[in-house]
Amino acid sequence: MSTFFPKEDPPRSNLFMSLYSFNSAKQLHTKCIQEHPFNHRIQVFLPAEVSPSIDAFQNTLTEQLSSTHYFHAHVPLALFLSSQFMQYIRNGLVALSVQGGIDTHDVVCIDGKGKMILSLTKDSYEQLGLTGVPSQFQKNRQRYVVELDLRAPSMIPGKAGFERIKWCFENTLVTVFPMVLASVDPAGLPLPLEFPESARARQLGYKVQTTLLENILVPDTTPLRTIGKNDLRWRKQVAEVYEWVGMASIQSERITLGDSIDPYLCVYSNPAQTSAEKIGSSGYLLEISGFIPSPSIMPIFESLRSLLNNGPTTSWANMTVWGFQDSPISWRGREHGHMLSGENMYSFFLWSENLVPKDKEHDKGVYVFLENVGGHDAHS
């Protein structure tokens, strides 16, 4: 890394691990999902023990997503200040430009709470004429961030602040941005959006794909439910099972029974199973892809919980959500950059809430939550 960063340490990515409970009044799982607005992929892994219910779960997902959609359109920023789009923004419009990298191009988003964030190159910022702040991740001031609250009381046609922004969008930053846009209510149901002909808007649906993984070594996840006194051991166990889910995600042969690759070529070893003897099993990967606002994720999450609670008491699942690598923000509106990786994703390990607790467990509603955060992300 010293070849590329001779004067400073390389940026570090982080994996945050937490053990929470659905029975907590804080409802942190809801906050974690709702505060991450820009997502493009959801993947669920389910072991074979819940296979009798997998068709019903997939049908539920299909039904939930069939009425939901998003748009791809070519939008000038001045359009967002029209009375029609200002109403969309009040209703929770989410939008993200999708052409160009966050470290090298102008990128714009609307976060669903009325905030427009412009992450701009130095040249674009100096031409724009609105006040911003230097990016946290480019110390040479080659990038700036402008944040506009489009729900503020001053955002009324005729008022100075509104007219200033409108003039800038019509005269200085006149770029037409390719964007993905969606508007959903708090329950995740779509709200209508209409575009002018010049936007060349296309309505898009979500892609749902199911893959059966056979003869795989499914790990025992019950040790993850209790931290105990050895926090380091628990973190190691979580990391091992999380890595296994990653191997399952790419359908690696390393997690199949009987795999005998030379250790010189691959040193990976599978986590422990419930039995001492290795037993081949099967599992399902369900993947949803598209522009997925956070309110649309909550019904999927709750359907997965319901599936586990209605299945065998030993049921478990993993649900992972990927954020856009070139989004200007990640969690809670914090600035996000790309640099080497740009990851901003989160993952849940869930169990049936009917599972009989062990002696150290007094709470049936526990779950493990993980956040993958790149080095250039203020959430780190």
Side-chain angles (χ1 to χ4, degrees), residues 89-101:
I89 290 168
R90 295 186 193 100
N91 292 340
L93 177 72
V94 183
L96 176 68
S97 62
V98 290
Q99 184 174 23

Side-chain angles (χ1 to χ4, degrees), residues 162-360:
F162 179 92
E163 295 300 330
R164 175 62 181 171
I165 296 171
K166 183 179 179 182
W167 186 91
C168 291
F169 286 174
E170 291 178 345
N171 294 276
T172 58
L173 188 58
V174 296
T175 306
V176 176
F177 289 92
M179 305 187 82
V180 286
L181 309 93
S183 184
V184 295
D185 65 16
L189 298 175
L191 299 174
L193 290 177
E194 295 182 0
F195 297 84
E197 262 188 56
S198 57
R200 291 174 285 154
R202 292 184 294 130
Q203 181 176 306
L204 303 172
Y206 297 100
K207 181 181 178 183
V208 182
Q209 180 178 346
T210 304
T211 304
L212 172 63
L213 305 180
E214 297 183 289
N215 203 32
I216 57 175
L217 299 171
V218 178
D220 178 16
T221 63
T222 52
L224 309 188
R225 292 173 54 88
T226 307
I227 293 181
K229 295 181 180 179
N230 194 331
D231 177 75
L232 183 61
R233 178 185 299 173
W234 178 80
R235 293 181 181 277
K236 182 174 182 293
Q237 291 172 328
V238 172
E240 288 177 349
V241 179
Y242 188 47
E243 182 182 23
W244 185 93
V245 170
M247 299 291 275
S249 175
I250 61 173
Q251 303 176 43
S252 171
E253 295 180 359
R254 304 289 79 79
I255 64 172
T256 57
L257 179 66
D259 179 65
S260 57
I261 191 169
D262 191 327
Y264 181 79
L265 300 176
C266 179
V267 297
Y268 177 77
S269 60
N270 286 279
Q273 293 186 279
T274 52
S275 61
E277 181 183 356
K278 291 185 177 181
I279 300 175
S281 184
S282 58
Y284 291 88
L285 284 175
L286 288 88
E287 185 172 307
I288 304 164
S289 55
F291 181 49
I292 314 171
S294 51
S296 297
I297 297 176
M298 281 305 303
I300 298 171
F301 184 80
E302 293 301 333
S303 295
L304 181 58
R305 286 182 63 189
S306 177
L307 171 71
L308 295 176
N309 292 336
N310 292 324
T313 57
T314 56
S315 301
W316 69 274
N318 172 268
M319 174 175 162
T320 302
V321 180
W322 279 263
F324 283 84
Q325 292 184 340
D326 289 299
S327 166
I329 60 173
S330 59
W331 284 271
R332 292 186 280 280
R334 292 170 176 165
E335 185 183 354
H336 173 73
H338 189 284
M339 192 56 177
L340 297 179
S341 57
E343 67 260 47
N344 63 113
M345 55 189 287
Y346 59 88
S347 186
F348 290 93
F349 282 101
L350 309 172
W351 293 267
S352 169
E353 293 170 42
N354 299 317
L355 179 65
V356 178
K358 296 181 180 179
D359 293 339
K360 294 181 181 179

Side-chain angles (χ1 to χ4, degrees), residues 92-137:
L93 177 72
V94 183
L96 176 68
S97 62
V98 290
Q99 184 174 23
I102 187 67
D103 292 334
T104 55
H105 294 74
D106 297 330
V107 182
V108 179
C109 72
I110 297 176
D111 69 352
K113 298 179 180 179
K115 298 283 181 67
M116 175 184 282
I117 296 95
L118 302 93
S119 181
L120 305 173
T121 63
K122 182 180 179 180
D123 289 344
S124 295
Y125 174 71
E126 290 176 344
Q127 294 172 14
L128 175 62
L130 298 174
T131 303
V133 296
S135 169
Q136 298 181 47
F137 308 118

Side-chain angles (χ1 to χ4, degrees), residues 362-377:
H362 304 287
D363 192 339
K364 295 182 180 181
V366 297
Y367 63 92
V368 173
F369 177 64
L370 303 99
E371 296 169 296
N372 266 91
V373 187
H376 277 198
D377 193 305

